[in-house]
Amino acid sequence: MLNNENSRVIAHKAICLVALEKQALSDALFPAESTESPFAKSLVYGSIRFYHHLNDIITPRIKKPLERKNLDIHSLLILGAYQLLYTDISSHAAINETVEIAEKIGKTWAKGFVNAILRGIDRDKDSILKTAHHSHPSWLVKKIKKDYPLNFQEIFFENNKKAPMSIRVHPSVDLSAFQEKLKKQDICSEKSNIAPQALILESAVKVGSLPDFEKGSCYVQDVSAQLAAHLVLPKKGELILDACCAPGGKTTHIAELCPEANIVALDNDEIRLIKVKENIDRLKTKNVEMIFGDATRQDWWDQKQFDKILIDAPCSGTGVIRRHPDIKLLRKLKDVNQITKIQALILDNLWHLLKPGGELIYATCSVLRDENERQIVSFLERFKDATNEEISLSWGDGFIGKQQLPKKIYDGFYYAKLTKKL
C-alpha cells in the first residue's frame, strides 16, 4: 500500500492528465488490482469533481499568470485546495504534503508560492464554503438552467455527489439469496422497486469481492441503465439489434432475459468490442453475434430487417457526471452540437432496418433536451411512419419519452419508444 505522500504525487499526475492533456479520467488510471491507494483515487475524483469551484478560488489569488510550462503548479493548487475545502484532512497535512510535491516534480521554486496560496485559502475557508457554486462549466450551467428552470439546483447538487454502485444479478440467480451472500461479506444492499434484477450497494466495492462475479453471477450497472432491456422486452425468435453496444451491459441483459432471441451487437470501436466479448464470455451468453460497423451506415447489414432495435446513442454523458466528473472539463458545447447530428444520422439510418410493426428504443445517459425530447420530436416530424409510444414506468417524466434526472440511486437517463406503422 502506498503512503499518503506518494498517493498525492499520483493524484497530482492524474489531475494534470485530465486538466492539461485532456485525457479521460478512466479506470485505466487506477486499475482495480493495482497498488495505487483508494486515497489517491478519492483525491483525483474529488479534485476533478469540484475543479471549476476550486479554479475560481485559486485564479484570482495568482497575481501573475503561470507560464504554460508551469501549469502543473495550478493543478497542484487544485489538489491542495480540494483537501482544504472538501475533505476532513487536517490543514497542516493538506498544505505541507502538497507543498512537498513541488519539490518532487522538480519545481522547488514553487514551494513558497503554493504554501502562501493554500494558507490564504485555509484562512478564508469559512467564507468560501458559505458562497454557493455549481462547479460546472458555464456553457453547461446555462443549458441546464434553460432546460430545467425549476430544478437545475437539484441537478448540480446530484452531479457533485459520488454515484452509488448498483449491480444487475443474473436472472438464473435468486436475488434474495444473492443479497444474503453479500450480507455475509458485510456488503449491505437494497432491492429496486423499478428494476427487478437490481441491487443498490450501500458502499462501493471491488468487483472481485462480489460473490461468483467471474462466473457471471452479476454485472455492475446503474438502475436506470437496467431498464433498457425491459423496454426492449425480447421474445423468442426475434431478431434484435443493439446499436452502439459497447461495453455490452445492455446487450447481455437483453440476451439473458430471452436466450431464444437473436441479438446482433453493433459497435464501431474494435477495442471496445473486445470488452463486449469479455462480458459475453463471463456471463456465458450464447445468443449474441458481434459486428464491427458504423450505425450511421448500412455496409455491415445483411438486409434482414430487425424486429426490435435499441439505440444506446452516443451522447454528452451529462446524466452520469457524478460517475465521470471529467466530463465537466472535457466536454464542450461544440461537442454536444456535433453529437446531436450523429444521433439524428443513427436514428434515420437504423429506422430503415426496422420491420413494419417493429419497435425502436432510443436511450441516452444525458439530461440535455436537445439530445432527448427535441431529438425525438424532430425525428417524428421527419418520419411519418413512426409513432411515439407511452412508456409505462414509474420512473422519470416527460410527454415524449421519459427523462430521469440524476437522483439518489438513479443516473440521469432518457428513453423513448417508437413503433413503425404497418
Side-chain angles (χ1 to χ4, degrees):
M1 180 63 69
L2 299 173
N3 61 36
N4 285 349
E5 185 177 359
N6 287 336
S7 293
R8 286 181 173 88
V9 173
I10 292 167
H12 174 250
K13 181 180 178 180
I15 294 165
C16 289
L17 286 173
V18 177
L20 305 182
E21 298 185 30
K22 306 304 179 187
Q23 290 192 23
L25 179 56
S26 65
D27 287 341
L29 288 172
F30 296 97
E33 303 305 323
S34 79
T35 57
E36 292 168 1
S37 74
F39 179 57
K41 187 170 183 177
S42 71
L43 290 178
V44 178
Y45 274 76
S47 295
I48 298 302
R49 182 172 288 120
F50 294 104
Y51 188 94
H52 289 84
H53 184 204
L54 300 170
N55 183 59
D56 284 353
I57 293 165
I58 292 165
T59 301
R61 295 169 187 264
I62 300 175
K63 304 306 179 187
K64 183 181 178 182
L66 291 164
E67 294 180 50
R68 184 174 181 82
K69 66 180 181 179
N70 292 322
L71 288 178
D72 55 348
I73 298 300
H74 187 276
S75 295
L76 187 56
L77 290 169
I78 292 285
L79 174 60
Y82 168 69
Q83 295 171 74
L84 290 171
L85 299 175
Y86 287 104
T87 74
D88 58 4
I89 297 169
S90 72
S91 297
H92 175 79
I95 294 171
N96 290 354
E97 295 192 30
T98 301
V99 166
E100 287 306 308
I101 295 174
E103 185 168 348
K104 290 180 179 293
I105 62 175
K107 296 191 176 178
T108 305
W109 62 266
K111 291 177 69 174
F113 171 74
V114 172
N115 181 70
I117 289 182
L118 293 183
R119 289 194 181 283
I121 291 172
D122 189 41
R123 283 194 300 270
D124 299 339
K125 180 176 179 177
D126 291 342
S127 60
I128 289 171
L129 292 176
K130 287 177 182 176
T131 305
H133 198 290
H134 300 311
S135 205
H136 284 61
S138 58
W139 72 265
L140 187 54
V141 170
K142 290 176 184 176
K143 285 193 78 69
I144 290 179
K145 282 185 174 182
K146 184 178 180 182
D147 283 352
Y148 302 97
L150 299 180
N151 46 2
F152 63 85
Q153 296 279 16
E154 177 189 350
I155 297 172
F156 296 137
F157 177 74
E158 289 293 333
N159 280 353
N160 289 332
K161 291 166 63 176
K162 290 181 181 179
M165 181 175 179
S166 300
I167 59 174
R168 185 187 84 227
V169 179
H170 196 279
S172 65
V173 178
D174 181 84
L175 192 66
S176 295
F178 194 82
Q179 196 173 22
E180 282 302 310
K181 280 188 177 182
L182 290 173
K183 193 173 181 180
K184 287 179 181 178
Q185 295 181 205
D186 294 323
I187 302 173
C188 297
S189 65
E190 64 174 297
K191 295 178 182 178
S192 165
N193 60 2
I194 192 73
Q197 294 164 254
L199 289 177
I200 303 100
L201 307 189
E202 188 176 273
S203 302
V205 299
K206 288 186 176 182
V207 294
S209 64
L210 297 170
D212 298 320
F213 179 81
E214 291 302 328
K215 296 180 181 179
S217 65
C218 60
Y219 186 96
V220 178
Q221 188 178 41
D222 182 77
V223 175
S224 291
Q226 291 188 39
L227 301 177
H230 293 287
L231 289 173
V232 172
L233 196 61
K235 296 177 182 176
K236 182 178 180 179
E238 287 183 333
L239 182 62
I240 301 171
L241 173 65
D242 181 4
C244 316
C245 68
K250 299 176 184 68
T251 304
T252 53
H253 195 188
I254 295 168
E256 68 192 27
L257 286 181
C258 185
E260 296 83 17
N262 302 300
I263 319 299
V264 173
L266 177 74
D267 206 276
N268 66 352
D269 188 325
E270 288 183 297
I271 294 175
R272 282 168 60 80
L273 276 174
I274 293 172
K275 187 64 176 177
V276 177
K277 178 67 163 58
E278 290 173 354
N279 283 320
I280 286 173
D281 290 345
R282 183 176 64 81
L283 294 166
K284 301 177 179 62
T285 305
K286 305 296 184 185
N287 54 332
V288 175
E289 176 190 1
M290 292 195 312
I291 294 180
F292 171 64
D294 188 338
T296 67
R297 300 166 60 90
Q298 297 182 11
D299 51 4
W300 53 269
W301 184 43
D302 65 1
Q303 305 301 309
K304 293 179 182 177
Q305 287 189 305
F306 295 94
D307 296 286
K308 291 171 180 174
I309 295 176
L310 169 64
I311 299 177
D312 188 12
C315 70
S316 64
T318 47
V320 291
I321 282 176
R322 57 188 186 173
R323 296 188 188 280
H324 306 283
D326 53 324
I327 287 171
K328 295 179 184 180
L329 274 69
L330 304 181
R331 195 79 73 241
K332 307 297 180 186
L333 179 59
K334 64 179 181 180
D335 299 328
V336 177
N337 295 336
Q338 183 61 28
I339 286 169
T340 56
K341 293 176 183 176
I342 294 171
Q343 291 167 347
L345 288 172
I346 292 173
L347 276 163
D348 291 6
N349 180 56
L350 297 185
W351 187 250
H352 297 293
L353 279 56
L354 185 66
K355 287 181 181 178
E359 297 176 349
L360 184 149
I361 304 296
Y362 175 82
T364 78
C365 54
S366 170
V367 297
L368 302 182
R369 296 193 188 278
D370 287 345
E371 300 178 82
N372 299 338
E373 293 104 320
R374 293 183 192 123
Q375 184 71 267
I376 297 302
V377 168
S378 179
F379 176 82
L380 291 168
E381 290 172 351
R382 294 195 301 276
F383 289 84
K384 301 305 179 185
D385 61 342
T387 303
N388 175 62
E389 297 291 334
E390 182 180 352
I391 294 176
S392 55
L393 282 175
S394 56
W395 170 97
D397 296 295
F399 297 104
I400 302 293
K402 285 266 193 166
Q403 176 74 67
Q404 176 66 59
L405 301 178
K407 184 178 181 181
K408 293 183 181 178
I409 65 169
Y410 299 121
D411 279 352
F413 234 85
Y414 175 81
Y415 288 110
K417 185 175 182 179
L418 308 171
T419 57
K420 195 171 190 178
K421 295 177 183 176
L422 292 168

